[in-house]
Amino acid sequence: MQMLFLVLLFAAVHAPAQTGERARAILESKCMTCHGQARMSDFDMRERATLLKGGKRGPAVIPGDAKSSLLVKAVRHEGDLRMPPGKDRLSGEEAAALAEWIDKGAIWEAAGVAPSWWSFRKPVRPAVPVVVNQARVASPIDAFVFAKIEEQKGKPAPEADRRTLARRAAFDLHGLPPTPEDVDAFVKDATPRAWEKYVDRLLESPRYGERWGRYWLDLVRYADTSGFETDHFFINAWRYRDYVISSFNNDKPYDVFVKEQIAADEIWPMSTDLEGTLKLPEEKQKNLNRRIGTSLFTIGSFPIEYTYYGDRFRAEWRADAVDTVGAAFLGLTLNCARCHDHKFDPISQRDYYRMSALFAGSVESEIPLGSLFDVQTSTRNFPLLAHAQALKRMAGNRGANRTPEERAAVLQKLGEAYLRAPDRMATANVLDHETPVPDTHVLIKGEFKNKGEEVAPGFLSALHAGPAIHEPDSDLFIPRRRKALAEWLTSPENPLLARVMVNRIWQGHFGDGIVRTPNDFGRQGEAPTHPELLDWLAIEFADGGWSIKQMHRLIMTSRVYRLARTGRRLDADALRDSILAVSGALNLKMGGVGVIPPLSKEEIQAARMPQLWPTHPDPAEHNRRSIYLQMKRSLTLPMLQAFDAPDTSASCPRRETSTVAPQALALMNSGFTWAQAGIFAARVKKIAGDDAALQLETAWRLAFARTPDETEAQTALDYLRRNSLERLCLLIFNTNEFVYVD
Amino acid sequence: MSIDSRRQFLQTSGLGIGWLAALDLMHGAQSVRPTAKRVISLFMQGGPSHIDTFDPKPLLAKLNGKAPPESFGNEDFQNGKLRELAIMASTRKFQRHGQSGIEVSDLLPHIAEKADEIAVIRSCFHEGFTHSQAQFLINSGWPRIGRPSLGSWLLYGLGSENENLPGFVVLLEGGVRSGPAVYGNGFLPAEFQGTTFRPGANPILNLRSAMAREEQRDMLDALGKINQHHLSARGPDGELAARIASYELAFRMQMAAPEATDISGETEATRKLYGMDNAVSADFGGRCLLARRLVERGVRFVQVWSGNGMNATDWDGHIECDKNHEAKAAQTDKAVAGLLTDLKSRGLLEDTLVIWGGEFGRTPTTDGGVGRSLGRDHNPYGFTVWMAGGGVKGGQVIGSTDEIGLRAAADPVHINDLHASILALLGLDHTKLTYPYQGRDFRLTDVGGKTELAERLRRG
């Protein structure tokens, strides 16, 4: 933005008489983002000839006649066509300059400049600003932020106390409260690098991947079922969930993480030599694990019905793939260009289908995760499955005379039998290839029956050029289109990938991103509040080997992060997990098939087929972290839904934080919070015995890592005189301090 | 006010919904003077057959058992294609009713008596031929999850008139084909979501506390003190204050909701009116009565569902369409007519819009599935919806389907047009009722929607 502004300023000051340069500067800054290289509506302004010719709407400029020129009418909003779209209307002075230039014959010397939208330009490492009060600066991040505050003559907030910081960091990185012991240890740690060590310990815990993996799953619209009437169960979706968690825990470089999800099968193909028929060598195992990343494209929301096949299915599946790539990796609303050219960003419908063609020839496939030997020996587990099959038959036709209760009992047994039966063999649903690769056409209005021009695979024309896509000569070889997409996304020329991800990391720590529309870095999105800081972080990220954990360290060791601030509401998952953690019931087991927790009779009423809710037989499993609960698209768990769980229809870059009465009802009255309050009370009693004051202190320490102050102690003791400890524990779950983290 | 500040304002003011809605909730979408203030949607899950209820097609009797004439081309249904199937005439008797002489079949004798109150739109259509897609389309104008439903948009546009009750209430018979998202708030904030009410003393999830009311008050007082203390240590904070207020609202809702669902004060005559004296119609009738009690108390949008989401018990006549519909009609006909009578006698029909319809109609042919020679498949290409009250002039028929009832013919009403017109009846301009999401302003009618229908509905 700033650079464009300078261009304008330069033009205005130095060449008032040269109307051509002035006009060109206006067109470049306000119009050519779309009507340049991107050729939106087939209109390209870069050359005089094509400018005069116009686009789909006919001639844009009639030299010598500004009044009749469509361009002038459009920028003056005189007709139906109002340009530029959105908020960037030309000033009266700018429109007048264009008109004057056209009246004088619209003459210019062609130049080869193609400036564009800020986020479409590669980030350039900015100089770290100099701050007057250097004492405040602990990292370059502080310099960027405090320089702006100084410029605005503001004053930063004071630093938060250590207890607050200990809690903030734990909730940020784990989505769980820290133990009182950990907080005490940090508060008392007088060594110079106490904070850094505390942050590092948090980053090393597997709880970290469960928290940040959850953000990623939101972003890629993760769920365990397809949604719609059939709500088809994706048997292996959980493997992708576990892949994501372990990627974060292992600090997998982000560019590798991206490459694996887009094209692991094309970048790290499995060789077909004999090695590994008995036992898979480590390298092959590793490649299989990478390939689970491509499950990303097998867990979308689709009406899986027998009427949904062929082109109809393909059109939806590929649109979901393109939209998800656009939202999650590029922070762009590519989906807008499915039916027509994007109205605000330089993304043509043709671009959209070029991207779509990158997924042509890719199909879902269930592959074994073991050696050939594993596959063959798996047959010995058949008898166990046969038992489950027999139960299934009992529950089915032959169970016609059963009462609903008997039926439910058989179904429960069936569920349990399936859970006990070992996997026939471990498999994953991943991307594979089909041949021949189907042609890709622009779909007019996005309708699968309405095929327009055929397009070749390619990338967004307003961004950097991608690698050449070599098509194989024969059907014996697979195309490597997704590999090309992965390379284009992770190329050093890509201006978006790093910016979009560091912005997400920033948002995870501060609630708001530097760009407050994390999935829209286009013209309808918000401009960055600190553009230089965003670029600096993006370059640090890419140059530093794409380490996400390193970005956490960078941000968390800044002063800015440690300032006092207003509280942030826990999201649904963190709230449920925190209640379990404080009560002491939390089961930290990791991984595996999504757990189905029990629901009350009234909760289950919302399900279409309540009998298809095979609650896990082991109650300890019900207390696992929320990320390990089955996510059913047709029925969000009511406790999570009350606190704004995502609907999994499309990428969710940020959870809503509404405040509505049903949340109060859920925390005050639900079976879940009552049960947890009972467990919490028993825990407190075990530690504190029967002394009310001691009980109070213990409960406060477990929940808030501090002792109650006088007002709180008085209120709570008074309450305890009339009520049980269980009730007080329930009250604690309901406090603002429990739900909002400072 | 910007969307943000408006939202903040809403959120900090307690539940968000409530009378303050009146201040600035139209979101600049106010169009003409509204004739309806609230809506009761009677949703016939499964898809009632228009050609057996409100859209007689004499030609079908002549073609019975034959292949559809070639002039009708071909069309995809869920279980087959038009050209592969045989025409199946209706076995129902149609008669003209009331002064208007609107034709209604003998399947719905009580609704038939209301012919002069209702406006029958025979030319509705959309593109979704499976249940869940069609249910999403008819409720949110989009064939998949993710968009706000009509009730959420209305609540967003108009707010509620009772801050102690949810403004958008859903009364279910059982399950929903497309899942709860079909009455969800989509990308709108949660305060605009549909809340399911069950009959009886505990209508809302988690409403009832296991504590006595005084005990609960005691807890809320202690909680309030601790929360206020927490707030005062942090200075003014809208979100924290809103959260404190939400507990008081929840507490009031615990009184207001059971009061609304407590029908013990309703007379015997009223119950009879809704068919509650008959075991077959008691359930649906009870929910229609509850709908009236809710709109009486200022709830903006109530949706009453018939059908529990399973083939045999929905209006989903794949197998024996006539038998299926007879059973569904027996459950609902009396209650629907009773609701219109009751609303009118209380002066509520004037500004309460009642909408009757399913997610689609049914085919004029047999169902393509094996052994379904007496069944009808889904038909989204032409079907009937009727409306009454809320400024709608009764006793009129709008639009038509073709001669076999396959496709909308005269004055076709796309789902976007239907939504645009419903919003118009409530005084909202569908092009201006927008919410920013994924980089653009979204609306219920996407990029379509015409409102001529609203004018015709009003004018007659």
Side-chain angles (χ1 to χ4, degrees):
Chain A
M1 219 39 209
Q2 219 165 38
M3 224 156 86
L4 294 182
F5 183 68
L6 284 176
V7 170
L8 283 180
L9 210 67
F10 181 83
V13 174
H14 293 271
Q18 287 164 297
T19 53
E21 277 180 33
R22 171 85 176 109
R24 171 134 200 134
I26 294 167
L27 295 177
E28 276 174 3
S29 65
K30 296 286 174 92
C31 312
M32 282 193 209
T33 303
C34 294
H35 302 299
Q37 197 179 352
R39 304 187 68 247
M40 300 283 283
S41 293
D42 290 338
F43 186 23
D44 185 349
M45 294 180 175
R46 287 173 298 175
E47 312 253 337
R48 182 169 186 268
T50 56
L51 171 69
L52 299 193
K53 183 167 151 256
K56 282 182 186 156
R57 290 171 192 262
V61 169
I62 302 164
D65 188 358
K67 257 192 170 165
S68 315
S69 294
L70 183 58
L71 180 80
V72 175
K73 285 188 206 166
V75 299
R76 284 186 170 155
H77 292 203
E78 285 172 358
D80 293 341
L81 182 66
R82 292 160 176 219
M83 285 284 156
K87 304 163 222 162
D88 290 348
R89 195 177 168 172
L90 262 61
S91 70
E93 187 275 320
E94 286 168 326
L98 283 180
E100 186 194 345
W101 167 69
I102 291 171
D103 277 335
K104 287 184 176 167
I107 293 161
W108 78 24
E109 299 296 317
V113 206
S116 68
W117 185 241
W118 72 267
S119 70
F120 283 32
R121 284 194 306 265
K122 256 180 81 174
V124 181
R125 185 181 278 277
V128 176
V130 180
V131 179
V132 180
N133 190 346
Q134 278 294 334
R136 278 190 201 136
V137 175
S139 97
I141 292 175
D142 299 326
F144 285 106
V145 175
F146 292 145
K148 188 158 176 184
I149 293 179
E150 282 178 359
E151 191 186 301
Q152 292 166 348
K153 309 246 182 289
K155 231 181 113 187
E159 185 158 321
D161 62 60
R162 280 202 168 191
R163 186 196 67 92
T164 303
L165 287 178
R167 276 171 59 83
R168 178 185 298 174
F171 279 106
D172 267 15
L173 292 179
H174 292 176
L176 288 169
T179 64
E181 294 76 27
D182 284 350
V183 176
D184 287 348
F186 167 61
V187 169
K188 287 185 196 136
D189 186 349
T191 60
R193 294 176 47 83
W195 174 241
E196 285 78 359
K197 281 185 279 182
Y198 181 73
V199 169
D200 275 341
R201 269 202 307 280
L202 291 172
L203 284 170
E204 279 154 24
S205 159
R207 308 287 82 75
Y208 161 75
E210 292 167 337
R211 178 59 174 166
W212 282 74
R214 178 68 262 170
Y215 289 138
W216 187 261
L217 295 179
D218 281 6
L219 206 52
V220 295
R221 47 84 185 106
Y222 175 88
D224 289 294
T225 69
S226 66
F228 296 92
E229 191 179 346
T230 53
D231 206 21
H232 172 83
F233 178 51
F234 299 136
I235 53 167
N236 284 321
W238 62 273
R239 289 194 193 276
Y240 175 74
R241 178 245 285 143
D242 287 354
Y243 158 88
V244 168
I245 293 171
S246 75
S247 296
F248 276 92
N249 275 334
N250 297 332
D251 198 20
K252 185 178 283 170
Y254 182 64
D255 60 338
V256 176
F257 186 51
V258 172
K259 282 180 184 164
E260 287 178 353
Q261 292 176 80
I262 301 279
D265 55 326
E266 295 180 2
I267 301 173
W268 296 276
M270 302 290 275
S271 60
T272 50
D273 59 33
L274 281 176
E275 199 199 353
T277 51
L278 182 61
K279 189 172 179 297
L280 281 187
E282 205 179 317
E283 188 60 25
K284 276 194 177 179
Q285 190 65 52
K286 215 170 140 192
N287 285 355
L288 270 178
N289 287 341
R290 291 177 189 276
R291 199 168 168 192
I292 292 172
T294 66
S295 301
L296 162 64
F297 299 101
T298 69
I299 53 170
S301 165
F302 299 112
I304 297 182
E305 292 170 358
Y306 61 97
T307 52
Y308 200 74
Y309 59 91
D311 282 351
R312 185 191 292 273
F313 177 81
R314 226 170 266 135
E316 292 300 326
W317 183 80
R318 277 161 62 176
D320 172 78
V322 174
D323 298 352
T324 304
V325 166
F329 300 110
L330 292 168
L332 290 177
T333 55
L334 297 188
N335 52 310
C336 291
R338 182 180 175 187
C339 307
H340 47 70
D341 288 349
H342 201 290
K343 299 252 192 238
F344 304 103
D345 296 330
I347 303 159
S348 67
Q349 197 190 0
R350 208 166 156 269
D351 277 354
Y352 183 90
Y353 286 95
R354 278 148 48 90
M355 294 283 284
S356 168
L358 295 165
F359 288 90
S362 291
V363 287
E364 178 178 347
S365 171
E366 186 180 349
I367 59 162
L369 288 176
S371 67
L372 194 58
F373 182 78
D374 295 335
V375 173
Q376 286 169 352
T377 53
S378 72
T379 50
R380 74 184 146 164
N381 291 328
F382 279 5
L384 284 159
L385 267 184
H387 173 61
Q389 295 296 349
L391 277 167
K392 194 174 182 180
R393 276 196 300 279
M394 284 167 66
N397 291 337
R398 281 201 238 154
N401 298 327
R402 288 173 205 281
T403 64
E405 289 75 24
E406 284 169 343
R407 241 179 104 73
V410 173
L411 282 163
Q412 178 69 28
K413 266 196 202 157
L414 168 66
E416 290 173 17
Y418 266 111
L419 283 168
R420 272 197 304 270
D423 284 342
R424 189 163 56 91
M425 86 184 127
T427 60
N429 289 59
V430 295
L431 285 191
D432 210 331
H433 295 92
E434 64 174 346
T435 51
V437 177
D439 297 337
T440 300
H441 295 257
V442 170
L443 299 183
I444 295 155
K445 291 187 183 170
E447 290 164 5
F448 75 95
K449 287 180 181 169
N450 210 346
K451 286 183 182 173
E453 160 199 17
E454 188 179 337
V455 292
F459 310 97
L460 300 182
S461 40
L463 289 179
H464 56 295
I469 302 170
H470 298 293
E471 297 291 313
D473 301 329
S474 103
D475 283 356
L476 286 174
F477 298 95
I478 55 167
R480 302 262 163 108
R481 294 184 180 185
R482 283 184 281 112
K483 182 183 180 195
L485 172 60
E487 284 168 3
W488 179 74
L489 284 171
T490 55
S491 150
E493 296 302 309
N494 191 316
L496 285 161
L497 192 77
R499 274 192 184 124
V500 167
M501 188 58 185
V502 294
N503 189 58
R504 297 194 197 285
I505 298 170
W506 186 272
Q507 177 188 289
H509 286 294
F510 292 92
D512 279 318
I514 299 171
V515 173
R516 287 182 185 195
T517 48
N519 269 15
D520 190 359
F521 275 48
R523 291 158 60 99
Q524 285 293 94
E526 290 190 25
T529 52
H530 297 77
E532 296 83 9
L533 173 59
L534 181 67
D535 283 5
W536 185 82
L537 288 168
I539 287 166
E540 282 291 311
F541 186 41
D543 287 359
W546 302 91
S547 161
I548 296 171
K549 285 192 179 178
Q550 192 49 39
M551 296 312 287
H552 291 302
R553 283 189 197 99
L554 199 56
I555 290 171
M556 294 174 82
T557 52
S558 72
R559 278 274 150 70
V560 173
Y561 178 78
R562 287 178 279 174
L563 300 181
R565 66 186 192 209
T566 56
R568 274 170 64 197
R569 206 201 76 191
L570 295 181
D571 63 32
D573 297 62
L575 179 58
R576 179 182 167 279
D577 293 357
S578 296
I579 290 173
L580 288 166
V582 169
S583 82
L586 183 64
N587 175 354
L588 287 174
K589 184 179 154 192
M590 293 180 75
V593 182
V595 171
I596 300 184
L599 291 182
S600 71
K601 214 171 149 193
E602 43 185 28
E603 287 173 320
I604 199 82
Q605 275 183 343
R608 177 169 170 246
M609 292 200 237
Q611 69 271 35
L612 293 187
W613 192 261
T615 303
H616 199 290
D618 179 2
E621 291 282 317
H622 307 158
N623 296 334
R624 291 179 59 188
R625 293 198 72 175
S626 307
I627 194 170
Y628 297 119
L629 301 181
Q630 191 189 102
M631 286 185 78
K632 207 170 153 63
R633 278 200 163 92
S634 72
L635 183 72
T636 309
L637 290 175
M639 184 69 198
L640 300 181
Q641 190 184 24
F643 290 91
D644 309 286
D647 74 4
T648 70
S649 64
S651 173
C652 169
R654 190 182 156 178
R655 301 266 183 113
E656 285 279 343
T657 52
S658 67
T659 301
V660 293
Q663 293 166 351
L665 294 173
L667 286 182
M668 275 196 302
N669 300 339
S670 71
F672 172 73
T673 51
W674 276 67
Q676 293 308 316
I679 298 168
F680 184 17
R683 184 184 188 189
V684 170
K685 249 182 214 154
K686 206 172 159 194
I687 300 170
D690 292 328
D691 182 284
L694 207 54
Q695 287 175 347
L696 202 64
E697 201 180 305
T698 307
W700 242 255
R701 263 177 62 78
L702 288 170
F704 307 123
R706 65 177 175 86
T707 50
D709 67 19
E710 207 174 313
T711 312
E712 290 164 335
Q714 233 168 35
T715 311
L717 276 176
D718 180 47
Y719 181 74
L720 260 184
R721 268 192 278 283
R722 295 182 302 280
N723 295 283
S724 65
L725 182 59
E726 285 81 0
R727 292 278 166 81
L728 181 72
C729 288
L730 181 64
L731 186 153
I732 286 173
F733 292 151
N734 278 276
T735 56
N736 277 357
E737 187 164 351
F738 197 91
V739 180
Y740 278 81
V741 176
D742 288 326
Chain B
M1 251 193 268
S2 73
I3 291 282
D4 270 353
S5 57
R6 195 181 286 124
R7 277 192 52 202
Q8 212 156 36
F9 172 62
L10 284 175
Q11 290 197 338
T12 52
S13 58
L15 183 67
I17 52 179
W19 47 264
L20 27 83
L23 292 178
D24 187 43
L25 265 176
M26 307 291 277
H27 300 290
Q30 195 155 14
S31 58
V32 284
R33 203 174 53 81
T35 49
K37 285 187 179 158
R38 59 196 84 82
V39 176
I40 295 176
S41 151
L42 303 169
F43 193 72
M44 306 295 120
Q45 177 166 226
S49 166
H50 52 298
I51 47 193
D52 294 308
T53 52
F54 297 96
D55 193 4
K57 291 293 162 191
L59 181 64
L60 294 181
K62 287 181 202 148
L63 297 173
N64 195 29
K66 295 180 185 151
E70 278 188 26
S71 56
F72 291 95
N74 207 354
E75 203 68 82
D76 284 333
F77 302 129
Q78 180 178 276
N79 302 325
K81 288 179 187 294
L82 178 70
R83 300 237 32 89
E84 299 158 357
L85 302 164
I87 293 285
M88 180 170 85
S90 177
T91 59
R92 309 310 315 186
K93 287 193 187 70
F94 278 84
Q95 245 186 334
R96 294 190 178 277
H97 292 270
Q99 295 196 321
S100 55
I102 290 181
E103 288 168 285
V104 183
S105 87
D106 59 358
L107 196 60
L108 302 167
H110 294 99
I111 297 175
E113 285 171 24
K114 299 286 169 191
D116 292 342
E117 301 282 357
I118 67 178
V120 179
I121 309 154
R122 285 181 177 162
S123 51
C124 299
F125 75 100
H126 60 68
E127 300 85 16
F129 60 63
T130 59
H131 290 288
S132 41
Q133 291 178 61
Q135 287 188 359
F136 280 120
L137 275 165
I138 211 116
N139 281 286
S140 72
W142 179 251
R144 312 168 60 161
I145 51 172
R147 301 278 170 95
S149 56
L150 173 61
S152 296
W153 279 112
L154 280 178
L155 198 56
Y156 167 67
L158 299 172
S160 181
E161 289 171 342
N162 184 334
E163 62 167 350
N164 296 333
L165 287 175
F168 170 15
V169 175
V170 184
L171 304 171
L172 298 174
E173 182 178 319
V176 166
R177 298 266 187 157
S178 36
V182 86
Y183 48 82
N185 47 300
F187 45 73
L188 290 177
E191 57 256 49
F192 304 114
Q193 70 201 351
T195 302
T196 52
F197 260 50
R198 290 176 306 277
N202 192 20
I204 305 178
L205 188 63
N206 300 319
L207 187 72
R208 197 143 69 171
S209 170
M211 286 184 248
R213 195 137 178 98
E214 314 76 64
E215 288 180 287
Q216 231 194 327
R217 189 64 261 171
D218 193 18
M219 178 184 277
L220 285 180
D221 288 343
L223 177 65
K225 267 187 214 157
I226 289 169
N227 278 345
Q228 285 296 352
H229 179 65
H230 172 263
L231 176 62
S232 62
R234 279 157 183 80
D237 183 320
E239 278 192 50
L240 295 179
R243 197 165 177 278
I244 292 171
S246 75
Y247 275 79
E248 291 304 317
L249 177 63
F251 190 64
R252 292 198 301 275
M253 199 183 266
Q254 286 181 317
M255 292 292 275
E259 188 279 328
T261 55
D262 177 13
I263 57 165
S264 60
E266 298 285 346
T267 65
E268 210 46 45
T270 304
R271 287 163 197 254
K272 260 189 162 161
L273 190 60
Y274 285 89
M276 291 175 72
D277 55 337
N278 177 335
V280 174
S281 50
D283 176 60
F284 186 78
R287 280 181 289 127
C288 283
L289 175 57
L290 184 49
R292 187 218 81 206
R293 292 180 60 88
L294 291 169
V295 295
E296 233 173 6
R297 284 160 180 73
V299 174
R300 186 67 68 185
F301 188 95
V302 183
Q303 190 167 52
V304 188
W305 285 61
S306 162
N308 65 355
M310 308 305 288
N311 284 23
T313 41
D314 285 350
W315 292 77
D316 199 17
H318 285 290
I319 296 175
E320 284 177 274
C321 189
D322 214 36
K323 212 171 137 192
N324 164 284
H325 277 29
E326 276 176 4
K328 294 314 289 179
Q331 290 166 10
T332 57
D333 179 41
K334 180 94 193 283
V336 172
L339 174 66
L340 294 181
T341 306
D342 198 21
L343 288 174
K344 191 164 186 181
S345 70
R346 288 165 196 267
L348 282 166
L349 190 58
E350 253 172 65
D351 50 10
T352 304
L353 180 66
V354 180
I355 308 169
W356 181 99
E359 62 263 39
F360 34 49
R362 306 204 78 84
T363 55
T365 61
T366 55
D367 189 288
V370 180
R372 293 170 168 187
S373 55
L374 296 175
R376 293 191 192 281
D377 202 348
H378 312 156
N379 181 7
Y381 311 111
F383 62 96
T384 295
V385 167
W386 63 251
M387 297 188 199
V392 169
K393 192 156 180 242
Q396 57 170 327
V397 172
I398 296 171
S400 67
T401 48
D402 57 25
E403 284 180 285
I404 59 169
L406 174 65
R407 298 187 186 90
D411 301 321
V413 175
H414 185 260
I415 183 68
N416 293 154
D417 306 333
L418 195 70
H419 286 154
S421 301
I422 291 169
L423 293 183
L425 290 172
L426 283 122
L428 295 166
D429 180 340
H430 73 102
T431 62
K432 293 186 184 144
L433 187 68
T434 62
Y435 192 81
Y437 172 67
Q438 285 189 345
R440 72 175 170 99
D441 287 342
F442 274 80
R443 55 190 227 217
L444 173 60
T445 51
D446 199 23
V447 294
K450 295 190 285 272
T451 55
E452 282 86 355
L453 175 67
E455 284 322 298
R456 281 192 68 175
L457 285 166
R458 280 191 179 132
R459 201 176 57 227

